[in-house]
């Protein structure tokens, strides 16, 4: 929830996801995150409490709000850097990191930032959400901003 909140706020306050367009998101799930609705909330009952328990927490790098992409899974080797995928040069927190906890056999998503598969396995091993975020987003801090 911290990564999702940070991602949304970044595009509200700092950058336009779709410059020149009269909207902030695309209805194409390949471009924007897909809302899975009430069914997701029923299958994942901890979502509402995770939102409440992390209220106001954001991912920051060098005291700045940052882009926090996330995706489903790697092939169990490494994530990708933002420079490699999108050519972003000023995102030192979005570098490639090992993702050996992910047991998938292929990438599902762009591969930059938090791997859902690897993060889930890390949580099962007792890692906290802050430890997981700091692992996948190198050099960041999780700060309560509001």
């Amino acid at each position: 929830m911290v990564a999702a909140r940070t991602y949304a706020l970044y595009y509200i306050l700092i950058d336009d996801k779709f410059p020149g367009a009269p909207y902030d998101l695309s209805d194409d799930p390949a471009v924007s995150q897909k809302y899975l609705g009430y069914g997701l909330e029923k299958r994942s009952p901890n979502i509402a409490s995770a939102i409440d328990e992390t209220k106001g927490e954001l991912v920051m790098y060098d005291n700045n709000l940052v882009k926090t992409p996330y995706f489903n899974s790697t092939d169990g080797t490494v994530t990708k850097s933002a420079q490699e995928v999108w050519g972003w040069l000023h995102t030192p927190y979005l570098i490639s990191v090992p993702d050996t906890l992910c047991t998938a056999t292929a990438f599902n998503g762009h591969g930059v930032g938090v791997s859902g598969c690897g993060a889930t396995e890390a949580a099962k091993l007792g890692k906290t959400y802050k430890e997981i975020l700091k692992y996948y987003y190198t050099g960041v801090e999780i700060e309560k901003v509001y």
Side-chain angles (χ1 to χ4, degrees):
M1 299 313 343
V2 175
R5 177 184 303 116
T6 303
Y7 186 89
L9 197 56
Y10 180 88
Y11 281 109
I12 289 170
L13 298 177
I14 297 174
D15 198 4
D16 289 329
K17 182 97 173 159
F18 302 99
Y23 48 80
D24 294 321
L25 296 173
S26 168
D27 59 2
D28 179 352
V31 176
S32 293
Q33 297 295 321
K34 180 175 157 184
Y35 175 64
L36 299 175
Y38 180 67
L40 173 65
E41 292 179 31
K42 279 184 73 174
R43 290 187 307 277
S44 304
N46 294 332
I47 287 178
S49 63
I51 291 168
D52 292 340
E53 291 171 14
T54 64
K55 183 177 180 180
E57 291 184 3
L58 298 169
V59 179
M60 308 288 282
Y61 181 85
D62 198 22
N63 294 316
N64 293 299
L65 185 67
V66 295
K67 295 178 188 179
T68 51
Y70 44 92
F71 64 99
N72 192 27
S73 63
T74 66
D75 60 0
T77 57
V78 297
T79 64
K80 298 176 183 177
S81 73
Q83 183 176 1
E84 172 187 359
V85 174
W86 297 306
W88 296 353
L89 299 176
H90 304 291
T91 52
Y93 54 91
L94 292 175
I95 62 173
S96 176
V97 298
D99 193 40
T100 56
L101 293 178
C102 185
T103 57
T105 57
F107 274 85
N108 185 348
H110 47 68
V112 179
V114 172
S115 158
C117 176
T120 298
E121 293 305 313
K124 288 178 184 176
L125 292 173
K127 297 292 184 187
T128 68
Y129 71 94
K130 288 182 180 180
E131 290 172 321
I132 293 167
L133 291 172
K134 288 180 176 186
Y135 177 76
Y136 286 103
Y137 303 127
T138 304
V140 302
E141 294 298 327
I142 311 306
E143 298 179 17
K144 188 160 185 129
V145 177
Y146 62 92

